[in-house]
Structures are given as structure tokens and as C-alpha cells.
Amino acid sequence: MNILVTAGPTREPIDPVRFISNRSSGKMGYEIAAAFAHAGHAVLLVSGHTALDVPDGVDFLPVDTAASMHEAVAHHIGRMQIAVFTAAVADYTPLAVAPEKLKKSADTLTLELVKTPDILGTARSSFGFDGTLVGFAAETENLEANARAKLTRKGCDLVIANDVSKPGIGFDSNHNEVMLVYPERTEFLPLASKHDLAHQLVQAILELHLSTRM
Ligand code: CTP
């Protein structure tokens, strides 16, 4: 099958030398891409900047901003059967990019930000994607309720949720524990390395894909 995975953080430029980004390492997404490839699938990994090596056997499309990730997904999602959105996409981007490096002057500086396109949230409506759609939810409170709201709002078949306020899991860690939020049930996958967890997640996503297509 053809599988799309988005991963890593986006970078939203402020001026030629500065950007707004977030703490995503991209590890979970890269492990998921590697696990799908290991299972014999054709994987396109659309990724923001990370310090990671591209997994063996995975097609790689590097992107920078939320807008460029949106464009890459729009271009490729049509031929995918499964799309897994692990990327930590910036929700807002500077309204204007300063053409020259901003100079220090006043004591305070206000940046005006505008919403970025919700790539996952428009996958069904804008791109007409009718395959298996999997989103991620990084939450600091009300994990299940927030993830379930995202599942409905973004038209997903599954949302994989993790609590990023818990020390030792998520973001820069090599470990994670996640909640699998399906329309009619919730499952919990206990603490494991992102490598092992990725194999469990890929298994769950493939089973979900097959069950919704029978
Ligand atoms: N996502 C996306 N494009 C965006 C923002 C998010 O594709 N512009 C995807 C992420 O890859 C992830 C999911 O949406 O799979 C959850 O993102 P999140 O930022 O938690 O969702 P929001 O709708 O922005 O909700 P919140 O109010 O919690 O920020």
C-alpha cells in the first residue's frame, strides 16, 4: 500500500535568520515511517527539519513551513491508502516575513500571527482523501476528551494521543505511552520505546484499515 507520514516540527520564518518552531524531535513519525516500510509498504515521509536520518526504504520529502507541508501533502495524498499525520505543525505563522534581519530597538516587540492551514483537518474536505486517516494529539490536559474532539472535528479514523506534560515521554524522549482514540472505543498502549511503539501502532493502523474496508 501507499502510505503518507508527516513528521517533525515546522519552521515559520520571522526574518532571514529567525523562525518560530516547537520541541518536536520527529522521532515518533520517523519510527512509524520505518515500521511501515519494514512491513513492506511504500512510504512517503514529508518532514520538517529534524536531526534524524531518513529511514531505509522510505521516500523522503523535506519541507520547511506549514504552508510548504500543506502543499506537499496536497500534491501526494491522492495516491495514498493511509495517511498518518504525526507532524507538529505550527498553528500560527507571522503575517509578514521581514525582508532584512530585525534590529533591536523598542523594549517590546509584537509579532502579528495568522492561522496556518490545518492540513489534517482539511484532508477529507479539501483533498477529497477517503483512505484511512490517522491524526496525533499532543495534550497537556483532558487527554481523551481533547483527542476525541479532534477525531470528530478532523474526520479521522483514529487519533493517537499522548500527554506531553508527563516527564520522560513524548517530545525529545525515546519513549512514549499513548491512547488510541477510535470513534467507538479507546485503548491504552503502555510505556515503550518509540521504536517498539511504532510497530504496535503500525499493526493497529493496518488492522483498522483492513476492518474499515471489508
Ligand atoms: N495538524 C495539521 N496541520 C495543522 C495543525 C495540526 O495537520 N496546521 C495535525 C497534526 O499533525 C496532528 C493533529 O493535526 O496530527 C493535531 O494537531 P493539534 O495542533 O493538536 O490540533 P489543533 O486543531 O491545532 O488543536 P489545539 O487547539 O489543541 O492546538
Side-chain angles (χ1 to χ4, degrees):
M1 277 187 292
N2 293 325
I3 320 261
L4 173 78
V5 178
T6 72
T10 62
R11 288 179 172 181
E12 309 302 322
I14 297 169
D15 70 12
V17 298
R18 302 183 178 95
F19 55 81
I20 300 173
S21 193
N22 61 68
R23 291 174 50 200
S24 166
S25 65
K27 282 175 192 162
M28 197 69 251
Y30 277 54
E31 289 289 2
I32 288 173
F36 271 119
H38 186 78
H41 299 285
V43 183
L44 176 66
L45 175 60
V46 175
S47 175
H49 288 255
T50 75
L52 305 171
D53 293 331
V54 177
D56 286 343
V58 165
D59 285 332
F60 185 65
L61 183 47
V63 295
D64 196 31
T65 59
S68 63
M69 184 172 281
H70 183 255
E71 198 183 313
V73 170
H75 194 255
H76 291 281
I77 199 167
R79 62 186 168 84
M80 303 294 167
Q81 282 81 50
I82 298 176
V84 184
F85 288 74
T86 78
V89 184
D91 287 333
Y92 290 88
T93 191
L95 176 63
V97 183
E100 306 297 338
K101 186 182 168 201
L102 290 177
K103 288 294 182 190
K104 187 161 49 181
S105 53
D107 284 347
T108 61
L109 173 70
T110 305
L111 279 177
E112 192 169 359
L113 306 176
V114 290
K115 257 192 189 154
T116 56
D118 185 344
I119 310 169
L120 172 63
T122 56
R124 299 261 189 238
S125 56
S126 298
F127 312 142
F129 181 67
D130 66 356
T132 297
L133 187 62
V134 181
F136 266 69
E139 306 290 345
T140 57
E141 56 179 357
N142 304 329
L143 186 61
E144 186 173 359
N146 282 333
R148 193 158 288 289
K150 257 165 220 179
L151 178 87
T152 311
R153 193 169 70 240
K154 301 196 183 206
C156 296
D157 298 297
L158 165 65
V159 166
I160 300 164
N162 70 313
D163 183 344
V164 287
S165 68
K166 273 198 180 176
I169 62 167
F171 281 134
D172 245 344
S173 164
N174 286 322
H175 293 78
N176 211 350
E177 63 181 29
V178 297
M179 201 177 261
L180 304 189
V181 178
Y182 297 91
E184 68 299 334
R185 70 181 196 281
T186 300
E187 278 172 31
F188 181 69
L189 295 184
L191 186 67
S193 70
K194 286 185 176 174
H195 178 81
D196 290 350
L197 204 53
H199 283 273
Q200 296 177 58
L201 291 173
V202 161
Q203 202 53 46
I205 294 166
L206 289 171
E207 276 168 22
L208 171 66
H209 181 77
L210 292 177
S211 72
T212 53
R213 260 130 200 98
M214 290 217 299

